[in-house]
Amino acid sequence: MALKLYNTLTRKRELFKPINPPKVNMYTCGPTVYDYAHIGNFRAYVVADLLKRYLTYNNKFKVKHVMNITDVDDKTIKNSIKQKTTLKKFTEKYTKAFFEDIKKLNIKPANNYPKATQHIKEIVSMIKKLLKKGIAYKSEDNSIYFNVFKFKNYGKLANIEIKNLKSGARVKQDEYEKESLHDFALWKAWDNADGNIFWETELGKGRPGWHIECSAMSSKFLGKQFDIHTGGIDLIFPHHENEIAQIEAITCKKFVKYWVHNEHLLVDGRKMSKSLGNFYTLRDILKKGYDPIAVRYSLISTHYQQQLNFTFEDLDASKSTIQKLTNFVRNLDDIKSKRESNNSKHIEKHIKNTKEGFEEAMDDNLNISNALGEVFSFMHLMNAIIHTISKKEAQKIKETILNFDEVLGLGLKNLKKSTVPKEISDLVKQRETARKNQDWKAADQLRDKITKLGYSIKDTKEGSQIKKIS
Ligand code: AMP
Ligand code: ZN
C-alpha cells in the first residue's frame, strides 16, 4: 500500500506522489500572534504534525516544513495599539507563547518560521509583478487590490463559480465574510487606525494584506511549486484561494499539489473560536491539571476530516488511555527474565500483523481510528502474556510501540521514571503473582499492605494501576 490523501483541490483521495521524492515540501499557515492560540487552532497544527510524522516514519520521505508567523495584520495592529506597546514587543510575546505551547504538545518544529514583517521586500516584489501583469490595480486610496476576474481559475479550490458575480467589490480588511467574492487587498495604504505601523516602499506608505504574506513566504522557502499545503477548512476560502491566485497568476503553473484541510474543533456544536468566546487556550486546560499529551491525544484521535466536539469527559478518557499506554511501556521495562517464553513466534507474528495494519490504516488518508485500534489490540494481546515473556521479547514489543509513537507523538520514548517506590512495585508484583495463582487471601493481604503504605491499587485488563493516595 502507499499513502493516499484527500486533496481539497480535486475532492478526491489521491495517491501521494511528491514532485521530487523522497523530498516533500510542506507549508502550514501559522498563527496570527495577537493572543494565545486556542486548542481549535492547535488541532490544525497537531494534524499537520501527524501528517509530517507519518511522511517521515521509517525514513520514507524527507520533509521540509515551513510555518509562517503572521505578525502584522488588522488584529495585531489594533491590539498592540490598544495595549500601548510596539507591534514587535506585542507579537513577540505571543510568538514565544506559541512556541512553548507547540513544544508541550510534542509538535515537531518546522524547518523555518518566517515572519511577515521580515519579508516586506519579497511581498513588494510580488505585488509589483502582479501590477505589471495588469492583474492588480491601485485604488483611489492608494491601496492595491487583486482583480479576481483577471485570474481565470479563481474559485477552483473552494469550488466557487465567479462568472455570475458582480465585479468591482473590494475588501480591505483581513477578515471578511466567507463565500462572498471580492477583489482583495494586496497592499493596504496607511490610514489613521494603523498608528505608526507602516512601511515606506515603492508601492507607497502602507502594509501588506494577509494573503500575500503567505504566498511570498511559502514560495521563498519552498519554491513556486510544492507538495503539501495544510490548514483548517475555514482557510480554504478566501485565504487559500487567494494564495493560489497570487502565485499562479505570476507563474502560470500549479502552485501546490495536495491541499490538506482539517475540520474544526467544536464546543457544543459550534466552531471553537475567539469571536464566539467559546474557546480554551492550552494554558487554560493545563491550569486544570491536565497533561498536554492528553490534549494532543484528544486532538489526533478523531479523523482530521471529521468535526470533533471538545469535552472534558473526552479529555479524561484520553488521559486514561495515555496512562494505559504508559503503564504498558513501563511494565515492559520492568521485565528482567532471561528465559525466552514459548510465545516468541506468536509475538513476532503479532508485531508483523500490527505493523501492517497500522500502516495500512495510516496510508488510507490517515485513518487514525483504525491505526489506534491496531495499537490497542496489540497492547491487549501482549498484556495477556506479559507475565511469561523474557526481557528480550519485552524490548521487541516496546520497540514496536515506540515505532508507532514516532507517528503518534505521545512521548512514550522519554517517560519519566515511575514515581512508585521500588518497595511498592515489588509488593504489587507479589500480589500479581498471588492473583495469578488464585491465592486470593495473600492477594488481599498484599493489597492492605500497599494501602497502608499510602498507595491505592486498581485492577484493570492491562494490569494493576497504582496511585499515591493524596
Ligand atoms: P488563525 O490564527 O485564526 O489563522 O488560525 C490558525 C489555524 O487554526 C488555521 O489553520 C485555522 O484554520 C485553524 N483553526 C481555527 N479555528 C479552528 C477550530 N475551531 N478547529 C480547527 N482548526 C481551527
Ligand atoms: Zn496562510
Side-chain angles (χ1 to χ4, degrees):
M1 275 270 284
L3 175 62
K4 279 190 173 160
L5 281 178
Y6 181 84
N7 188 355
T8 309
L9 191 62
T10 56
R11 286 167 181 75
K12 281 190 196 120
R13 274 167 197 236
E14 292 178 11
L15 199 59
F16 178 65
K17 283 194 195 155
I19 299 166
N20 201 6
K23 288 188 188 153
V24 172
N25 281 353
M26 170 167 158
Y27 185 84
T28 299
C29 289
T32 305
V33 280
Y34 72 103
D35 201 347
Y36 297 110
H38 59 66
I39 57 167
N41 299 132
F42 286 122
R43 185 175 191 200
Y45 306 125
V46 163
V47 163
D49 185 58
L50 183 70
L51 170 59
K52 179 165 112 183
R53 282 169 175 270
Y54 189 57
L55 291 167
T56 52
Y57 169 73
N58 293 343
N59 297 319
K60 190 152 187 199
F61 295 110
K62 289 199 170 352
V63 178
K64 179 172 179 191
H65 185 209
V66 175
M67 185 191 287
N68 73 299
I69 303 287
T70 300
D71 61 348
V72 57
D73 80 323
D74 299 346
K75 283 186 280 196
T76 44
I77 293 178
K78 194 169 135 212
N79 289 300
S80 64
I81 291 175
K82 212 154 112 194
Q83 294 199 8
K84 296 191 171 56
T85 176
T86 62
L87 182 69
K88 188 161 188 286
K89 261 200 190 147
F90 178 78
T91 54
E92 271 174 0
K93 173 180 168 186
Y94 294 110
T95 307
K96 185 168 165 269
F98 177 75
F99 287 135
E100 285 166 6
D101 287 355
I102 56 173
K103 191 164 179 210
K104 286 195 180 122
L105 289 168
N106 210 13
I107 291 176
K108 287 202 171 177
N111 299 73
N112 304 85
Y113 291 100
K115 290 180 174 172
T117 53
Q118 289 169 6
H119 292 85
I120 302 296
K121 199 174 86 216
E122 288 81 353
I123 293 169
V124 169
S125 143
M126 261 183 97
I127 298 175
K128 275 171 63 189
K129 284 184 190 148
L130 290 166
L131 281 167
K132 204 165 160 204
K133 286 199 158 213
I135 290 161
Y137 63 92
K138 207 166 207 172
S139 71
E140 315 74 56
D141 74 340
N142 285 330
S143 290
I144 300 171
Y145 290 88
F146 186 103
N147 181 344
V148 296
F149 285 86
K150 289 269 173 85
F151 177 64
K152 78 168 182 345
N153 281 332
Y154 195 81
K156 72 173 175 184
L157 180 72
N159 218 3
I160 292 173
E161 279 281 339
I162 71 163
K163 59 177 184 271
N164 302 324
L165 289 154
K166 263 200 272 165
S167 68
R170 290 181 203 142
V171 62
K172 192 172 173 186
Q173 68 270 28
D174 287 324
E175 280 184 290
Y176 49 94
E177 275 184 32
K178 311 270 144 124
E179 307 300 330
S180 61
L181 191 89
H182 300 279
D183 291 350
F184 56 90
L186 298 165
W187 186 258
K188 302 175 182 203
W190 179 87
D191 65 26
N192 279 330
D194 290 342
N196 59 5
I197 294 152
F198 58 83
W199 283 263
E200 288 280 11
T201 72
E202 290 167 69
L203 305 174
K205 177 176 171 179
R207 62 181 169 97
W210 171 40
H211 313 300
I212 194 85
E213 295 177 2
C214 272
S215 295
M217 290 184 272
S218 61
S219 59
K220 173 176 172 183
F221 287 89
L222 300 173
K224 301 256 181 300
Q225 289 187 292
F226 60 87
D227 302 295
I228 304 177
H229 195 312
T230 74
I233 52 157
D234 53 314
L235 297 190
I236 297 174
F237 190 82
H239 185 56
H240 290 163
E241 192 70 62
N242 294 352
E243 279 190 40
I244 294 176
Q246 293 161 147
I247 294 276
E248 294 191 4
I250 294 174
T251 64
C252 301
K253 282 189 194 147
K254 189 183 212 170
F255 171 41
V256 171
K257 221 173 157 188
Y258 305 91
W259 286 88
V260 177
H261 289 104
N262 62 279
E263 253 295 350
H264 285 144
L265 182 70
L266 311 180
V267 182
D268 298 329
R270 300 177 80 190
K271 178 190 169 194
M272 180 179 284
S273 73
K274 287 269 158 64
S275 53
L276 289 174
N278 61 350
F279 65 91
Y280 293 96
T281 64
L282 184 65
R283 282 138 207 266
D284 294 335
I285 291 178
L286 302 191
K287 264 190 223 140
K288 290 182 191 285
Y290 287 96
D291 177 350
I293 293 299
V295 178
R296 177 182 173 96
Y297 186 84
S298 279
L299 295 177
I300 61 165
S301 54
T302 295
H303 189 260
Y304 75 94
Q305 288 184 287
Q306 275 172 20
Q307 293 185 332
L308 163 62
N309 207 37
F310 173 76
T311 61
F312 280 99
E313 288 76 41
D314 179 60
L315 202 52
D316 287 329
S318 295
K319 187 171 146 188
S320 97
T321 304
I322 303 283
Q323 190 60 55
K324 281 177 197 162
L325 279 165
T326 307
N327 287 346
F328 181 49
V329 172
R330 284 203 175 117
N331 290 342
L332 289 168
D333 266 342
D334 282 347
I335 292 169
K336 304 280 182 278
S337 162
K338 288 205 170 67
R339 195 162 40 89
E340 203 157 290
S341 70
N342 47 15
N343 281 317
S344 248
K345 286 239 161 63
H346 177 73
I347 294 170
E348 295 282 350
K349 189 184 94 197
H350 282 298
I351 289 180
K352 185 170 172 286
N353 290 350
T354 309
K355 276 194 168 169
E356 280 171 11
F358 181 85
E359 287 164 21
E360 197 174 308
M362 290 303 284
D363 275 345
D364 179 19
N365 190 27
L366 311 185
N367 186 336
I368 191 73
S369 318
N370 286 4
L372 288 171
E374 291 287 341
V375 176
F376 295 130
S377 34
F378 178 64
M379 183 173 84
H380 291 148
L381 283 164
M382 296 302 105
N383 263 324
I385 56 165
I386 201 162
H387 301 291
T388 69
I389 64 177
S390 68
K391 179 173 177 158
K392 204 168 139 205
E393 289 160 339
Q395 287 307 309
K396 268 196 189 148
I397 298 169
K398 184 180 156 188
E399 254 170 47
T400 309
I401 292 288
L402 294 189
N403 192 228
F404 296 144
D405 200 39
E406 284 295 316
V407 178
L408 304 172
L410 305 176
L412 298 174
K413 198 172 179 175
N414 302 313
L415 291 179
K416 286 196 202 106
K417 281 257 168 279
S418 164
T419 48
V420 178
K422 186 160 181 327
E423 183 194 4
I424 305 291
S425 57
D426 284 348
L427 289 171
V428 172
K429 271 184 212 146
Q430 283 176 36
R431 182 173 170 269
E432 272 169 12
T433 313
R435 276 165 56 84
K436 237 178 51 214
N437 298 334
Q438 306 199 340
D439 184 352
W440 308 119
K441 196 170 159 214
D444 285 348
Q445 282 169 352
L446 283 158
R447 174 199 281 273
D448 290 346
K449 213 165 164 184
I450 292 165
T451 316
K452 277 196 193 120
L453 289 166
Y455 286 81
S456 72
I457 186 162
K458 190 174 149 198
D459 299 313
T460 73
K461 270 193 282 173
E462 288 76 35
S464 311
Q465 285 184 8
I466 325 296
K467 252 193 184 163
K468 198 166 172 35
I469 301 168
S470 45

